[in-house]
Amino acid sequence: MESQDIQVDAEFSSAERDAVYKCIFNRRDVRGQFLPTPIPDQVLARLLKAAHHAPSVGFMQPWDFIVVRDPAIKQTVRDSFQAANLEAAGMFEDEKKKTYRRLKLEGIVEAPIGICITCDRSRTGPVVLGRTHQADMDLYSAVCAVQNLWLAARVENIGVGWVSIIRHDDLREALGIPPSIQPIAYLCVGYVTHFFQKPELETAGWLPRMPLSDVVWIDRWHAHDESDSLLECL
């Protein structure tokens, strides 16, 4: 291996490690606290660069990023959300339906920028290293780009909200996405007045945070080895 292939600064200091964990634990899905403050192009470029450095199966890098600034396009996206949201409300019953209707689940027109992340499943041809036996790995790769962008935005003190209550075909029509391209995420992106201490759905009582010990198993599905020292750390 040649020397230029070895990363000389691969070690993280304890402060750098703690900063990464702080970012992960303080990431939030933002819906209602967006400010009209523009995001400087240099900052937005950093977010996109972070997303572009996500891991991808076969190094195929299947993503594209559509940056949405046009208010008319954002309004079209919001109209599509509202239609889907009305349908979604009818899928819940009783108290869940009442709680659902009280929730603000998007900030499409309030956020200064929307970013749609897509997946081109044919980007490097029909046979992709690592996708030969798990066909959806390219989709998972694009989701990794979403997470990279989300965490990068958080350390820039920028809020991100993922709008999932919308049909893919509506996004294709609004943003001119070809039928062969799979929309992955429409993100509302912007500076915010504040970040909540806990996820909004947790605070609203929609669902609680599951204990880590309830979702970690040893060697086999739903198997515990009571002597395993890992369990004492959860």
Side-chain angles (χ1 to χ4, degrees):
M1 180 178 292
E2 297 182 7
S3 60
Q4 62 264 32
D5 294 328
I6 300 175
Q7 188 175 354
V8 296
D9 61 343
E11 295 288 334
F12 286 84
S13 69
S14 59
E16 291 170 330
R17 177 202 64 201
D18 292 345
V20 172
Y21 284 117
K22 178 180 178 181
C23 177
I24 291 171
F25 295 146
N26 286 277
R27 182 210 56 78
R28 294 290 177 264
D29 192 354
V30 176
R31 288 85 173 267
Q33 306 99 258
F34 288 108
L35 295 168
T37 308
I39 299 176
D41 287 344
Q42 300 94 322
V43 177
L44 180 57
R46 287 201 294 267
L47 304 187
L48 295 171
K49 185 176 182 179
H52 188 50
H53 278 71
S56 64
V57 62
F59 202 50
M60 70 180 295
Q61 303 157 79
W63 42 69
D64 284 271
F65 307 99
I66 304 172
V67 177
V68 180
R69 292 191 173 104
D70 188 329
I73 294 177
K74 288 194 286 186
Q75 184 60 55
T76 298
V77 173
R78 187 170 189 268
D79 290 344
S80 297
F81 161 83
Q82 287 180 315
N85 191 49
L86 184 62
E87 294 176 351
M91 298 177 187
F92 298 96
E93 297 181 355
D94 303 328
E95 291 302 316
K96 281 287 187 181
K97 179 181 290 188
K98 293 178 182 178
T99 301
Y100 185 94
R101 287 176 171 169
R102 290 196 298 267
L103 296 171
K104 180 172 175 56
L105 298 175
E106 53 79 32
I108 298 168
V109 297
E110 297 95 333
I113 290 175
I115 299 177
C116 184
I117 299 180
T118 63
C119 180
D120 182 350
R121 310 197 71 183
S122 63
R123 174 149 294 169
T124 58
V127 180
V128 177
L129 187 157
R131 199 181 65 178
T132 53
H133 292 76
Q134 296 189 28
D136 291 337
M137 286 301 297
D138 51 348
L139 300 175
Y140 304 153
S141 298
V143 172
C144 287
V146 176
Q147 180 76 338
N148 267 26
L149 189 148
W150 214 332
L151 294 175
R154 185 62 187 86
V155 300
E156 298 279 2
N157 295 310
I158 291 172
V160 174
W162 186 334
V163 181
S164 61
I165 307 170
I166 191 169
R167 293 184 178 85
H168 287 152
D169 283 343
D170 288 342
L171 279 178
R172 289 189 177 98
E173 183 176 355
L175 304 178
I177 300 171
S180 60
I181 302 299
Q182 179 64 46
I184 298 296
Y186 185 93
L187 306 175
C188 306
V189 183
Y191 292 106
V192 296
T193 57
H194 62 281
F195 290 94
F196 287 113
Q197 183 175 357
K198 293 182 178 181
E200 289 186 67
L201 293 184
E202 182 179 4
T203 301
W206 186 260
L207 284 172
R209 171 80 65 183
M210 295 180 65
L212 180 58
S213 57
D214 286 356
V215 294
V216 175
W217 312 106
I218 307 300
D219 291 329
R220 296 177 64 83
W221 176 255
H222 277 207
H224 266 166
D225 180 350
E226 299 300 336
S227 65
D228 196 299
S229 59
L230 171 63
L231 299 178
E232 298 179 2
C233 301
L234 301 181

